[in-house]
């Protein structure tokens, strides 16, 4: 939702060149939401879903932080400032999501390492 709000703010601002990043992050989040909701993560075991979510969170936090600094410092209209403030809030939200997803990724990788042939020999 926050990515969509930032996208709308960038469309209405002078900093319209930054609108692609929130749009892509919104679409990626929407895709992963529907993938988890329709249990695609259980059907397609070859895709490392926690890693995909982890990389999305990391890149989103970095990209939102960078374009928010640029939008707030370079443009003076209200919509650009609002998009920058929402971008800083999104950076914090994605950083929290990054931390939670990192913990899930660690447990996922530990679970995968117990299925290795060395783990089966000791059992």
């Amino acid at each position: 939702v926050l990515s969509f709000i930032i996208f709308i703010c960038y469309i209405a601002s002078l900093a319209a060149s930054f609108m692609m990043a929130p749009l892509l992050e919104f679409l990626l989040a929407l895709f992963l939401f529907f993938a988890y909701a329709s249990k695609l993560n259980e059907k397609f075991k070859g895709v490392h879903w926690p890693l995909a979510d982890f990389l999305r969170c990391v890149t989103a936090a970095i990209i939102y932080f960078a374009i928010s600094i640029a939008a707030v410092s370079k443009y003076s209209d209200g919509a650009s400032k609002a998009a920058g403030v929402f971008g800083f809030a999104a950076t914090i939200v994605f950083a929290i999501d990054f931390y939670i997803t990192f913990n899930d990724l660690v447990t996922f990788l530990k679970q995968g390492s117990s299925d290795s042939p060395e783990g089966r020999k000791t059992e």
Side-chain angles (χ1 to χ4, degrees):
V1 172
L2 198 54
S3 294
F4 187 70
I5 292 170
I6 296 168
F7 172 69
I8 296 298
C9 287
Y10 277 128
I11 287 177
S13 73
L14 294 175
S17 60
F18 294 136
M19 74 176 185
M20 186 57 83
L23 178 63
L24 287 176
E25 290 300 333
F26 173 70
L27 292 176
L28 280 172
L30 198 63
F31 169 72
L32 286 174
F33 174 73
F34 283 122
Y36 280 117
S38 62
K39 305 288 186 195
L40 285 178
N41 58 336
E42 295 173 1
K43 294 176 186 173
F44 297 107
K45 296 288 186 181
V47 178
H48 299 289
W49 293 98
L51 182 62
D53 197 21
F54 174 76
L55 291 175
R56 183 191 59 87
C57 291
V58 170
T59 57
I62 293 169
I63 289 171
Y64 276 132
F65 186 69
I67 65 172
S68 295
I69 288 174
V72 169
S73 65
K74 189 174 180 182
Y75 298 97
S76 61
D77 62 322
S80 295
K81 300 285 185 193
V85 170
F86 281 125
F88 287 127
T91 301
I92 294 169
V93 168
F94 279 114
I96 293 169
D97 193 20
F98 158 80
Y99 177 74
I100 293 168
T101 307
F102 180 75
N103 290 335
D104 291 341
L105 182 63
V106 168
T107 56
F108 177 77
L109 292 176
K110 284 182 182 178
Q111 175 188 4
S113 66
S114 67
D115 293 338
S116 66
E118 293 84 21
R120 284 186 238 151
K121 286 181 185 176
T122 59
E123 293 176 357

